[in-house]
Structure formats: structure tokens, C-alpha cells
Amino acid sequence: MPFTGKLMGMGNPLLDISNEVTEEMLTKYDVKVDSAILAEEKHMPIYKELAEMPGVQYIAGGATQNSIRVAQWMMGEAGQTAYMGCIGKDAFGEQLKGCAQTDGVLVHYMEDEETPTGTCAVLVASGERSLIANLAAANNFKESHLETDLAKEIISSSEIFYSAGFFLTVSVESLLKVTNHAVDNNKIFCLNFSAPFIIDFFGDQVAAALPFADYVFCNESEAEAYGKKHGLGNDGKDLEAVALKVAAMPKTSGVRARTVVFTQGSSCTIVAREGKVTKYDVTPLGADLLVDTNGAGDAFVGGFLAQLTKGADIAKCVDAGHWAASIIIQRSGCTFPEKCEYA
């Protein structure tokens, strides 16, 4: 069966190794609460330590893959979404394939025979998550994979493309190949800043991708980091001003105005477009219902994109994003019930 879906993601597929940890463990590995970082040598023992602790969970992860899985869940019929990234030829890679298949996502992984599948340590302390990504094979995605027949079929069929900023550390060339296709064919490209370290240390890569972005997503800490780095909105303190500035930055395609979406956890979501800011309140969730914030931002994007594929207006897209995030934070990891009940 040929792929006929509308949404494609490209990113770093990782198997999340998730567990509840103490504040002492965060201190031991020099990890801040609610942070997302790339693993250094000092972090390498943590994966084995987490795996040996009671209650360990293995969950399909990677920011872009999470968003695509949630979007697929909300869209319903299998095969509406596709995802590309690089994994190893190993048991963890097979686990990722199986999870995607169960979720109804068509995955077209590049497979590295020499490098293991990437993993992400998910440290959950008092409901807040910290992430340490060991990219491994995910770091080896090559533009040549986009020349395979299935990749061409996926790209040709898709109308919306999404990538988290983490992929900018891997293959800007691959991303630009897809974004140029989007511009040439009047399609939509969505980008997420993903983490402050992407903005701080991969600024050139962000600058290369941003002109192609029709939609830009990030949370408040990433928005502040971008404002501070570029001297916008009182060095990032005025998030509405930062959103307006990002929305007004030069764009490769003049077909549609850029929409900028800043989430702020339980505080209102800021949307900037065509010189105007709109704020959308978040329905509060009781503290007793909060299990794990891991994947909340990814789920928001997934819900948003699911509605965007249907041509919904921004208010509906944001509402779906809020709803998806509220479901995910009541569960461990980026997981969801079998049936989506969003109306």
C-alpha cells in the first residue's frame, strides 16, 4: 500500500529509559530539574543505573517521534503519519519499530549496523522530568536516506513536515532538502526550538532552518533563551515581544504568514501572527493527577498538528494541543490510552 498520509516528522529516534529518581541523583550527575541536555562522559553510567533500579520503563521516545505518535493517535486511522530517523540494528531498534507499528505510524528508519540505537535517560523527580540524550545511531542520519523510494513517496504525499530542533545537531542538509521541497510545493514546515542549548550552541543551524518555518514552537525557557541571545523582548523577559519578533523575521516562502507558538506549562499559551498576539488559557490540572511532565510539549505539538492537517483554525489547534498535553502528563512517559476521545 502506498503512503497517502499528510504528516511527516524527521528527528532523532531514541528509546527512553525512564525511572523515578531522587534529588540526590540529579545532583550526582549534575542535572537540573526540567532540563534537556546531550550526554557527556560523566553521564554515561546513568543509563545502566536507571535500568537496574526497580520500576524502570522503556518507552519509544525522541521529541519529534513523540509528536508524530500523538498526532497519529489523535488522527485515528493508521498510516496518516510517517517518521524518519536513524537507529541501530539491535533489540532497542526493533522495540522502536514495534511501538511505531502499534501506534499506526509508518517509520522509515535508516539503520546503522555499527552504532547502537540512541537512548534517553528520563529522570522523573516530583513529577518534573530531566532528559539526558545519548544520540548514538540517531546522530548518523544521512541525506542519502531521503533518496530511497519510500522516503520519496512519504515526502511527496506529505503536506506538513515537522522537526524538533534536536535534529539540527545531526543533519541540517537533510532538513534543508525537505524544507526546500516544502517551499517549492507550497507545503507547510514546522520547527521546534526544543531546548535552550540548541539556541545557545547551534545558533547557525537554527538560523538556517528558521526562514523556512511556517510554524515555530517552543516553551517559555526556550523563548527566553532566544530573546536573550538575539536581544529581543527585553532580553527574553517579554515573551509576547519575542514571539512577535520571531513571527516577523524573514521567510523563504511568502505564501503564508509565520505563526509562533510559545507554551508555558500551566500558564497561558502565546500565539503571535501578523503583528498580533493572542493568549489561550490552559485548563488547570489538579496536582494529584500529575504523574510525569515528560513529553508534555511534544504532545502539545502532536495535538496541534493533528488539527492542522484537518485545516482547523489556530484556536482549535491550540485546544487540541492543550488537551493532548493534559492526557500525557497524567501518565508515565509519552504514552496514551488506546482510544483518543478528543472531540
Side-chain angles (χ1 to χ4, degrees):
M1 289 283 290
F3 178 71
T4 58
K6 293 183 177 180
L7 175 62
M8 177 193 127
M10 187 163 61
N12 302 338
L14 305 172
L15 188 68
D16 286 351
I17 304 174
S18 178
N19 216 329
E20 298 271 347
V21 302
T22 60
E23 298 289 341
E24 289 75 19
M25 190 169 181
L26 295 180
T27 302
K28 174 183 175 181
Y29 285 101
D30 192 23
V31 178
K32 295 178 181 177
V33 173
D34 200 29
S35 63
I37 59 175
L38 293 177
E40 300 174 29
E41 195 62 39
K42 65 183 179 182
H43 299 121
M44 290 308 172
I46 201 169
Y47 301 95
K48 185 172 185 288
E49 188 171 343
L50 282 175
E52 291 175 347
M53 291 166 57
V56 64
Q57 290 183 297
Y58 295 91
I59 305 166
T64 304
Q65 187 163 236
N66 284 344
S67 295
I68 297 300
R69 289 173 54 235
V70 170
Q72 174 61 58
W73 173 63
M74 294 189 68
M75 292 164 76
E77 184 184 351
Q80 296 301 299
T81 64
Y83 174 79
M84 287 189 246
C86 186
I87 62 173
K89 280 201 168 185
D90 52 25
F92 281 176
E94 290 302 315
Q95 203 165 337
L96 285 179
K97 286 183 191 177
C99 181
Q101 189 172 18
T102 299
D103 291 338
V105 178
L106 171 63
V107 289
H108 181 40
Y109 292 129
M110 180 177 178
E111 296 187 35
D112 187 324
E113 296 189 8
E114 299 178 357
T115 313
T117 296
T119 51
C120 183
V122 180
L123 315 177
V124 183
S126 302
E128 296 292 331
R129 91 323 176 231
S130 301
L131 309 176
I132 309 173
N134 179 21
L135 297 183
N139 204 36
N140 296 338
F141 189 89
K142 300 291 187 293
E143 184 184 354
S144 57
H145 188 66
L146 301 178
E147 295 300 324
T148 60
D149 289 342
L150 182 52
K152 289 179 178 179
E153 183 179 301
I154 291 168
I155 292 169
S156 176
S157 175
S158 298
E159 297 175 8
I160 299 173
F161 303 93
Y162 173 67
S163 186
F166 297 120
F167 191 67
L168 292 172
T169 72
V170 172
S171 182
V172 175
E173 301 81 12
S174 299
L175 191 65
L176 293 181
K177 184 177 180 67
V178 171
T179 57
N180 276 296
H181 167 85
V183 169
D184 292 344
N185 293 275
N186 190 21
K187 297 180 177 183
I188 294 172
F189 170 62
C190 308
L191 177 69
N192 200 317
F193 286 161
S194 295
F197 84 84
I198 298 292
I199 293 158
D200 291 337
F201 301 110
F202 296 90
D204 290 346
Q205 292 88 332
V206 173
L210 186 56
F212 294 92
D214 297 292
Y215 290 81
V216 173
F217 300 95
C218 70
N219 66 22
E220 70 273 37
S221 61
E222 296 144 14
E224 183 176 349
Y226 192 88
K228 186 175 181 180
K229 183 178 178 69
H230 296 280
L232 307 175
N234 191 22
D235 282 340
K237 295 180 178 64
D238 185 344
L239 295 187
E240 292 182 33
V242 174
L244 286 169
K245 290 289 187 182
V246 174
M249 285 178 175
K251 209 165 162 293
T252 306
S253 167
V255 174
R256 60 184 69 83
R258 177 180 294 124
T259 301
V260 175
V261 184
F262 291 170
T263 58
Q264 302 184 90
S266 59
S267 298
C268 69
T269 294
I270 295 170
V271 177
R273 178 185 172 93
E274 295 183 312
K276 180 184 176 184
V277 167
T278 306
K279 293 188 275 191
Y280 298 89
D281 290 334
V282 176
T283 302
L285 185 73
D288 58 316
L289 297 175
L290 176 64
V291 174
D292 176 5
T293 58
N294 181 34
D298 301 336
F300 173 88
V301 174
F304 189 105
L305 294 178
Q307 286 298 315
L308 191 63
T309 62
K310 299 178 180 180
D313 61 21
I314 295 298
K316 184 67 172 175
C317 291
V318 172
D319 182 72
H322 286 167
W323 183 85
S326 75
I327 296 297
I328 265 62
I329 64 176
Q330 295 180 65
R331 302 169 65 88
S332 182
C334 191
T335 62
F336 32 79
E338 184 176 345
K339 184 179 179 182
C340 174
E341 297 183 348
Y342 180 76

